[in-house]
Amino acid sequence: MASKIETSPEMVQNVYKKTAERLAVVRNRLNRPLTLAEKILFGHLDDPQNQELVRGESFLLLRPDRVAMQDATAQMALLQFMLAGKDEAAVPSTVHCDHLIQAYKGKDVDMTVSNTANKEVFDFLATTSSRYNIGFWKPGAGIIHQVILENYAFPGGLMIGTDSHTPNAGGLGMCAVGVGGSDASDVMVGLPWEVKNPKLIGVHLKGKLTGWASAKDVILKLCGMLTVKGGTDKIVEYFGEGTTSISCTGKATITNMGAELGATCSVFPYDDRMAAYLKSTGRDELSKVADGHKELLSADADVVANPGKYFDEVYEIDLSVLEPHLVGPHSPDIARPISALKKEAAEKGYTIKISSALIGSCTNSSYEDIGRAAFVAKQAMDIGVKMNQPFLVSPGSTQIQKTIERDGQMTTFNEVGATVLANACGPCIGQWKRDDIKTGEKNTIVTSFNRNFRARNDANPETLAFIGSPEIVMALGLAGRLDFNPATDELEGPKGKVKLQAPVAPELPAKGFIPDTEGYQKPAGAQAQVAVSPTSERLQLLSPFTKWDGKDFVDNLVLAKAKGKCTTDHISPGGKWLNYRGHLDNISNNMLLGADNAFTGEIGKGKNLLTGETAEFAQVARAYQKANKGWVIIGDENYGEGSSREHAAMSPRFLGATAVVTKSFARIHETNLKKQGVLALTFVNPKDYDKIQEEDHVSLVDLKDLAPGKPVKMNIKHKDGSSESIELKHTYNAEQLKWFRAGSALNLIRGF
């Protein structure tokens, strides 16, 4: 069975064969050069002859090569898959246990605690994976994206994953897209995956990185240029001579954080650095197959020569003059070069003293990353400087951990003051238990992670989180100050001063990687028994959602009007709630706990219009549901940005939401709402958001005539007796409207 899960040379050869066949059809239709992203997408079309290919408008039906799931989102994805009644996953699929491991005392203690606390969830994931022929990576084996890069990613492939940083695999030339669990279960059932044909952003990389600048600084600068909304429904494709100067894992860092742009995914063309990584990770045969199909793995020549003709937007970054950057606080698009931070910090009153420095995560835990950070640490220790505040290290995988233990970088980290955490997400996703800072206490941390939303890392809204490269985090952590610039300032210690040299380190280990021989469980097949207790507080078998009754939504109440940034972290917080990712009823109690109430300014609470009392939004929703009153959520710009967690869509559906109406949606969340049968609508006139009042009754009418491109009418009745009507728009196509009418996409699959 394992041969169906592995990315074998035979599998890749077959992917390239089908890609070439489909592209021959598409080239005949389009009669123009193709970008790399187009080659991969169109090379995976379910019907290359007849599908519409209008960029930014058409919906593509695609056949992914792989599915990847992490433990927090895999629970719901597998529970949905089980409803379909299939015997095994239709495409190679894997589950990775990396989210449910708390970062606190260090690897050994934290793993013991996690394995005990999460035993029933891990047992469910292990037994379900075994039963349905899905590869299973045990707790502590590594972060999903690092393990995928090391074992499964391949140039020219198409993968979907139930985590928003799935695009990490773009560093190995793959179009890898973060999706909700419903999309994953659909593909595992054997259905094509549907996505809006993305627009294309071309990023021309010139020159070569020098000094303290790293691959991380490429994406931090781009986040500042494009903002967290700049990549929505778009693919970022890198091209130009600068791409070959960046290591494969450096490319993965860049594509990983493309998620912070809201991008569908990001991708680099295949080159010798990717081939070297494949060989170093024991996949020499894959590199040979890729070498024989280079025409499929890069953009056509005229695209590179005349990018303005083929991309919807084109940007240029000169690597040779790029400075190290830091982004934050509270958003990954607040970017500036480190040379500008000292002045800004003084002007804005940022806390200068650093309370913790954190290195690792799926974004920056490669051999090269660790080596560059260790290079900096050694210089500091030469003058007697060590970390004066907590220094936490999250290796990306057991393979990385064992290799840096052998080669000495881990010894350097331990000597400089590191607490080495489990090979898991930990603080990056909010699984960080802090004893040094109280909630509400202002402090500053520096990390090499990817996200820094308010309260994201440690649940403290007053923590200012700044993101940089591992070497910059190391330097700032050693200095203990946010306003330290290692390129110009001297580091002082008991044994003197030193102006730190710019870091250098090999991108790959000279002795090769030490593979993880214990972290993977092979599936057993149909004889495996799935473990779910009917009395579990953490796992709950699903029942289908109710089918739409064909009637308009009349006199619905406004449960919540969210003001400003409302990410999936705000809609369905993590932290302690990760314990309930497999129990829809229990996790729904966290719905909108982080949302800013536009009517009152209160966080996570709203007015129950039936009683006049104020309560948490989930409890108000349950009261409305009990009274058989439909309700809606009103959202601001880019509603639902951030993590791919489908619970942010399933919980509203479970608690009785009929629609979510916003100024605009983040891509994954909009799709998740559609999949679960919640109407996802946007204001035709964004200013109509201001018309919605706390005690309004709203009606969505003529829904029986709902059709692609046809506006939806909302009638609003205000408390004072006045009324008005506004227009809403949507992006549903004919197939997605079937999801709505059936009550959910899964209902349609089951013929419910």
Side-chain angles (χ1 to χ4, degrees):
M1 287 188 179
S3 61
K4 294 182 67 176
I5 298 169
E6 302 305 315
T7 300
S8 66
E10 294 76 19
M11 170 193 168
V12 175
Q13 185 70 55
N14 188 49
V15 169
Y16 292 161
K17 179 177 181 292
K18 290 182 178 179
T19 295
E21 291 171 352
R22 290 164 172 152
L23 288 182
V25 176
V26 171
R27 285 187 184 279
N28 186 56
R29 291 177 58 190
L30 298 181
N31 192 30
R32 63 167 174 79
L34 299 176
T35 71
L36 171 59
E38 288 178 317
K39 289 183 180 182
I40 298 175
L41 291 184
F42 297 162
H44 287 81
L45 286 169
D46 185 52
D47 182 1
Q49 183 63 59
N50 298 303
Q51 282 191 237
E52 292 185 2
L53 304 176
V54 181
R55 226 183 260 175
E57 296 182 18
S58 304
F59 283 82
L60 304 180
L61 291 175
L62 303 171
R63 290 288 180 179
D65 303 309
R66 302 197 63 88
V67 171
M69 296 163 279
Q70 42 94 334
D71 49 354
T73 51
Q75 296 171 60
M76 198 56 69
L78 292 177
L79 286 166
Q80 292 179 90
F81 171 75
M82 289 166 63
L83 278 180
K86 301 292 184 179
D87 278 334
E88 66 175 11
V91 301
S93 304
T94 53
V95 169
H96 306 257
C97 295
D98 61 0
H99 274 54
L100 299 180
I101 302 168
Q102 189 176 65
Y104 184 34
K105 294 292 187 180
K107 179 185 176 183
D108 293 339
V109 173
D110 293 347
M111 283 302 307
T112 299
V113 170
S114 176
N115 281 326
T116 300
N118 300 299
K119 184 177 187 304
E120 68 171 315
V121 172
F122 292 151
D123 285 350
F124 165 71
L125 295 174
T127 56
T128 306
S129 297
S130 188
R131 165 64 182 83
Y132 293 105
N133 195 27
I134 294 168
F136 179 75
W137 287 82
K138 302 171 187 176
I143 305 174
I144 177 172
H145 313 303
Q146 181 68 28
V147 175
I148 290 291
L149 198 72
E150 293 171 350
N151 295 276
Y152 300 115
F154 65 95
L158 176 66
M159 178 176 70
I160 61 171
T162 60
D163 189 278
S164 53
H165 291 99
T166 299
N168 189 79
L172 201 42
M174 195 172 203
C175 275
V177 185
V179 298
S182 296
D183 281 345
S185 61
D186 287 356
V187 171
M188 289 192 293
V189 165
L191 295 177
W193 171 56
E194 184 177 55
V195 67
K196 183 185 288 187
N197 188 9
K199 291 188 176 183
L200 301 179
I201 296 175
V203 179
H204 181 196
L205 299 182
K206 298 173 56 179
K208 184 178 181 180
L209 293 168
T210 60
W212 283 86
S214 71
K216 184 65 164 278
D217 299 304
V218 175
I219 188 60
L220 297 185
K221 180 175 178 61
L222 195 63
C223 283
M225 293 167 63
L226 299 185
T227 80
V228 293
K229 297 189 296 182
T232 302
D233 288 328
K234 301 169 187 174
I235 289 179
V236 180
E237 179 175 327
Y238 295 87
F239 66 94
E241 66 278 13
T243 62
T244 60
S245 72
I246 300 173
S247 67
C248 176
T249 52
K251 293 180 176 74
T253 292
I254 294 170
T255 60
N256 176 292
M257 276 195 70
E260 274 52 71
L261 299 169
T264 301
C265 66
S266 304
V267 66
F268 276 86
Y270 177 68
D271 61 16
D272 291 344
R273 310 296 276 270
M274 295 184 190
Y277 184 76
L278 286 170
K279 293 173 184 176
S280 187
T281 51
R283 294 173 286 174
D284 192 18
E285 290 302 313
L286 289 190
S287 69
K288 292 177 181 177
V289 175
D291 286 341
H293 295 82
K294 288 184 177 180
E295 75 283 355
L296 300 177
L297 307 178
S298 61
D300 287 340
D302 196 51
V303 172
V304 176
N306 300 288
K309 291 172 59 178
Y310 304 103
F311 292 105
D312 299 285
E313 304 168 46
V314 179
Y315 300 90
E316 183 176 283
I317 297 177
D318 188 345
L319 302 180
S320 61
V321 297
L322 182 64
E323 288 186 66
H325 277 58
L326 277 180
V327 300
H330 304 320
S331 188
D333 58 358
I334 302 175
R336 84 288 287 163
I338 195 170
S339 60
L341 185 57
K342 183 175 183 178
K343 180 181 178 183
E344 181 184 336
E347 292 174 347
K348 296 187 177 179
Y350 297 150
T351 301
I352 298 301
K353 185 178 184 296
I354 291 172
S355 65
S356 284
L358 304 96
I359 284 177
S361 83
C362 65
T363 315
N364 274 116
S365 57
S366 70
Y367 188 82
E368 180 181 30
D369 290 330
I370 299 298
R372 286 170 67 91
F375 183 92
V376 176
K378 286 181 179 179
Q379 297 178 67
M381 287 192 291
D382 287 343
I383 60 167
V385 174
K386 296 185 179 182
M387 291 285 180
N388 282 322
Q389 69 284 315
F391 171 45
L392 307 180
V393 178
S394 303
S397 67
T398 297
Q399 179 167 287
I400 288 290
Q401 174 209 327
K402 288 184 175 181
T403 304
I404 63 176
E405 286 175 346
R406 178 197 67 194
D407 293 352
Q409 296 96 327
M410 187 68 86
T411 299
T412 299
F413 278 10
N414 287 330
E415 289 176 351
V416 85
T419 296
V420 180
L421 303 173
N423 307 322
C425 301
C428 186
I429 60 156
Q431 283 281 58
W432 180 19
K433 184 177 179 180
R434 296 186 76 177
D435 291 333
D436 58 317
I437 298 292
K438 297 178 181 178
T439 300
E441 183 178 347
K442 291 185 178 181
N443 72 106
T444 291
I445 65 173
V446 288
T447 83
S448 67
F449 302 162
N450 46 46
R451 290 210 166 125
N452 58 349
F453 301 137
R454 189 182 292 273
R456 165 82 177 191
N457 303 127
D458 62 0
N460 180 10
E462 295 304 320
T463 294
L464 304 183
F466 292 86
I467 299 173
S469 66
E471 51 266 47
I472 288 295
V473 171
M474 178 67 80
L476 296 185
L478 291 166
R481 307 193 326 266
L482 185 66
D483 59 357
F484 179 75
N485 183 355
T488 57
D489 301 341
E490 289 186 320
L491 186 67
E492 297 187 34
K495 300 178 183 179
K497 300 179 180 180
V498 65
K499 185 172 180 294
L500 296 169
Q501 297 178 39
V504 291
E507 63 186 83
L508 298 168
K511 299 178 183 178
F513 287 102
I514 300 177
D516 180 3
T517 57
E518 301 176 355
Y520 178 71
Q521 168 197 281
K522 294 182 179 180
Q527 65 266 33
Q529 296 296 312
V530 176
V532 179
S533 168
T535 60
S536 173
E537 290 294 310
R538 299 189 62 181
L539 295 164
Q540 179 187 50
L541 295 176
L542 295 176
S543 298
F545 287 132
T546 56
K547 186 176 181 179
W548 178 54
D549 63 6
K551 298 178 181 179
D552 290 341
F553 298 142
V554 178
D555 284 336
N556 279 203
L557 303 176
V558 178
L559 176 80
K561 181 179 178 180
K563 179 182 178 181
K565 186 183 287 288
C566 193
T567 72
T568 50
D569 278 305
H570 297 98
I571 304 167
S572 182
K576 68 177 184 179
W577 295 99
L578 288 173
N579 288 333
Y580 306 112
R581 285 290 185 89
H583 198 294
L584 183 55
D585 194 357
N586 285 344
I587 199 171
S588 293
N589 287 321
N590 77 353
M591 187 185 70
L592 293 169
L593 274 182
D596 186 346
N597 187 330
F599 303 123
T600 66
E602 194 167 10
I603 303 298
K605 293 183 178 181
K607 185 177 180 179
N608 183 333
L609 299 182
L610 303 180
T611 66
E613 298 175 347
T614 296
E616 291 179 350
F617 286 120
Q619 301 314 311
V620 177
R622 289 184 188 275
Y624 291 169
Q625 189 176 43
K626 186 176 181 180
N628 200 30
K629 292 293 294 183
W631 53 268
V632 302
I633 296 171
I634 306 298
D636 211 325
E637 295 280 4
N638 207 32
Y639 182 85
E641 72 173 274
S643 299
S644 65
R645 60 191 69 168
E646 65 186 310
H647 303 79
M650 294 188 78
S651 289
R653 178 70 165 99
F654 181 74
L655 296 180
T658 57
V660 177
V661 183
T662 72
K663 292 182 181 178
S664 64
F665 283 104
R667 175 188 61 84
I668 298 177
H669 186 62
E670 182 181 22
T671 299
N672 285 345
L673 288 169
K674 292 178 178 180
K675 288 272 183 177
Q676 302 305 334
V678 181
L679 273 181
L681 307 168
T682 55
F683 297 103
V684 170
N685 181 359
K687 292 183 179 180
D688 286 343
Y689 166 92
D690 299 322
K691 295 179 179 179
I692 307 298
Q693 301 172 21
E694 186 174 30
E695 298 190 26
D696 284 348
H697 287 62
V698 301
S699 299
L700 300 172
V701 299
D702 299 328
L703 295 182
K704 67 180 185 303
D705 298 322
L706 195 60
K710 183 177 181 179
V712 173
K713 185 179 180 182
M714 174 188 272
N715 294 328
I716 308 169
K717 290 193 295 188
H718 299 302
K719 182 182 179 181
D720 63 6
S722 63
S723 63
E724 56 187 313
S725 296
I726 61 174
E727 273 199 341
L728 308 175
K729 58 186 177 180
H730 64 85
T731 61
Y732 285 83
N733 59 29
E735 184 66 21
Q736 292 172 342
L737 288 175
K738 293 179 183 177
W739 303 344
F740 167 68
R741 294 178 181 122
S744 73
L746 195 57
N747 283 355
L748 187 65
I749 294 170
R750 298 176 71 244
F752 180 70

